[in-house]
Amino acid sequence: MTASPTSRMPVAVIGAGAIGRMHIERTLRHPDVSVAGIADPTPAARKLAESLGLAWYADHRELLEKSDARAAIVATPNHTHADVGIDCISRGLPVLMEKPVADTIENAQRLCDAAKRAGVPVMVGHQRRHNPIIQRARALVNEGVLGRPVSVNGMATWLKPDSYFDLAWRREKGGGPVLINLIHDLDLLRFLVGEIDSVQAMTSSAVRGFEVEDTAAVLLRFANGALGTLTVSDAAVTPWNWDLAAGEAPHYAQVSVDTHFLSGTEGSITLPRLHTWRFDGKRGWHEPLTQSQTMLHRQDPYMEQLRHVRAVAEGREQPLCSGVDGIRTLQAALAVHEAALAQHVVRLHTISNPL
């Protein structure tokens, strides 16, 4: 059944932590979708639902049985993603799965296999793909502005407050900036440059001394031959991270810097400010470069992602980040940990998932 163009499509929200609350807030004010109910066993989630006048369920399966949801957003702990997602798929509900798609490659594959058998789409919440900045950058790459990609560089460095680590899982393996934050940058580069072939990495926990890393340096080789570097740290005082630079969320004070640099045989692009550099005539390092900049209207990628959820649920669009896409990005993030632990090059098709 397809929702009428004038009605809002009801969406079940499963998980009401920080990301789940963000989805709830945006869904409540979105013209295309509405909240069918909230499933989360915590007292805080029940209180939130009551304050908003929304139906609350401790068990997501009860929400799926009793609500009129036509799609589901899953923002539960990573290790529950596959099972919760499969419960949604078994009821024919398209799923927007928060990243990472699952905690392991095996569970992610199980989720995607279930979706394929049922003919139900799975989307993964790599919301940067919906940002008009990234959409424009992808268009520039496809138009040949870079030429052949040669190198890419990115930084994801900032300081998380001490209170962030009050939750024990954020101090333990799997709860660090590689899987929480850098996974977005890996997906961004895959989206713009192409598939990642191999990874080398080093990690450090020298600043806080936790079991989990606070810093990582990553070297990438792409299938097209381009090389890339990424640096991530949640223990450094810097402005060089996408969240501060891109202005996607109002709770971050935006700064005017670039964080990602794409270079090719014909030109280069910086993000998020979308500066391009090219030769207009004679080429060579002694010749002057010409700079241009694309100015875009600002748009909330989370709101655009919700529009996309309805379009996918109604069969009007294909997932911009599919479950299979989510697996490939998860492979790259897990390869960072494996490469750092083993201190050798990890090719993605041989990853063993150490977490």
Side-chain angles (χ1 to χ4, degrees):
M1 180 176 178
T2 301
S4 70
T6 57
S7 65
R8 298 168 74 199
M9 187 185 77
V11 177
V13 180
I14 304 172
I19 298 298
R21 290 195 302 272
M22 181 277 299
H23 284 298
I24 292 165
E25 184 272 328
R26 283 167 170 79
T27 303
L28 286 172
R29 56 186 175 89
H30 200 286
D32 293 340
V33 293
S34 62
V35 179
I38 299 171
D40 185 309
T42 64
R46 183 172 189 171
K47 184 177 180 180
L48 174 66
E50 291 173 350
S51 72
L52 296 172
L54 298 171
W56 170 84
Y57 302 89
D59 191 307
H60 68 277
R61 289 162 292 193
E62 187 178 6
L63 166 60
L64 297 177
E65 290 294 336
K66 294 183 176 180
S67 76
D68 60 350
R70 307 264 272 278
I73 297 172
V74 178
T76 56
N78 296 348
H79 69 278
T80 68
H81 282 189
D83 289 337
V84 175
I86 290 170
D87 286 340
C88 297
I89 290 165
S90 70
R91 291 162 175 81
L93 297 183
V95 177
L96 172 62
M97 183 67 69
E98 259 306 324
K99 61 81 190 169
V101 60
D103 58 333
T104 68
I105 301 301
E106 294 76 17
N107 278 336
Q109 191 64 60
R110 186 162 59 89
L111 172 69
C112 290
D113 288 345
K116 183 176 181 179
R117 286 193 301 269
V120 175
V122 171
M123 297 155 275
V124 183
H126 286 292
Q127 83 286 345
R128 292 183 190 176
R129 293 189 179 209
H130 295 278
N131 192 310
I133 298 170
I134 299 304
Q135 290 289 321
R136 180 56 182 156
R138 183 175 167 93
L140 290 171
V141 172
N142 290 338
E143 290 165 10
V145 169
L146 288 183
R148 177 174 177 170
V150 173
S151 69
V152 294
N153 310 92
M155 296 184 71
T157 52
W158 63 96
L159 182 69
K160 291 179 181 175
D162 292 342
S163 59
Y164 176 87
F165 300 96
D166 289 345
L167 295 174
W169 68 266
R170 290 174 172 170
R171 305 190 299 270
E172 298 167 352
K173 285 185 178 180
V178 169
L179 281 176
I180 301 300
N181 306 108
L182 190 70
I183 192 169
H184 279 300
D185 300 276
L186 291 165
D187 188 75
L188 183 156
L189 294 184
R190 284 190 55 247
F191 190 59
L192 295 179
V193 182
E195 293 301 337
I196 297 169
D197 179 71
S198 63
V199 175
Q200 299 178 62
M202 297 181 71
T203 59
S204 172
S205 58
V207 174
R208 296 192 182 94
F210 293 155
E211 177 183 337
V212 70
E213 79 282 349
D214 53 54
T215 305
V218 183
L219 179 62
L220 307 170
R221 180 181 293 276
F222 292 84
N224 59 18
L227 300 179
T229 63
L230 285 171
T231 302
V232 63
S233 179
D234 60 16
V237 179
T238 89
W240 298 302
N241 66 82
W242 181 264
D243 291 323
L244 294 185
E248 285 187 351
H251 54 276
Y252 295 114
Q254 188 174 5
V255 293
S256 182
V257 297
D258 284 311
T259 58
H260 294 72
F261 305 84
L262 286 63
S263 305
T265 56
E266 297 296 328
S268 58
I269 303 170
T270 71
L271 301 172
R273 292 189 291 182
L274 281 172
H275 290 153
T276 60
W277 297 84
R278 303 189 73 179
F279 289 116
D280 274 344
K282 191 175 179 182
R283 294 158 49 91
W285 63 359
H286 296 296
E287 306 305 322
L289 283 160
T290 298
Q291 180 193 25
S292 61
Q293 183 177 17
T294 302
M295 304 301 294
L296 298 171
H297 292 290
R298 292 184 64 177
Q299 182 177 336
D300 184 337
Y302 291 101
M303 294 290 277
E304 170 58 18
Q305 184 175 241
L306 287 171
R307 183 209 61 77
H308 180 64
V309 167
R310 176 168 178 168
V312 170
E314 295 177 350
R316 293 182 283 110
E317 294 179 10
Q318 293 299 309
L320 185 61
C321 186
S322 67
V324 172
D325 254 329
I327 290 179
R328 289 173 178 161
T329 294
L330 176 61
Q331 281 182 320
L334 293 175
V336 172
H337 280 298
E338 182 168 334
L341 181 66
Q343 286 296 287
H344 61 61
V345 177
V346 174
R347 295 182 64 87
L348 294 197
H349 67 272
T350 63
I351 190 168
S352 63
N353 185 15
L355 298 179

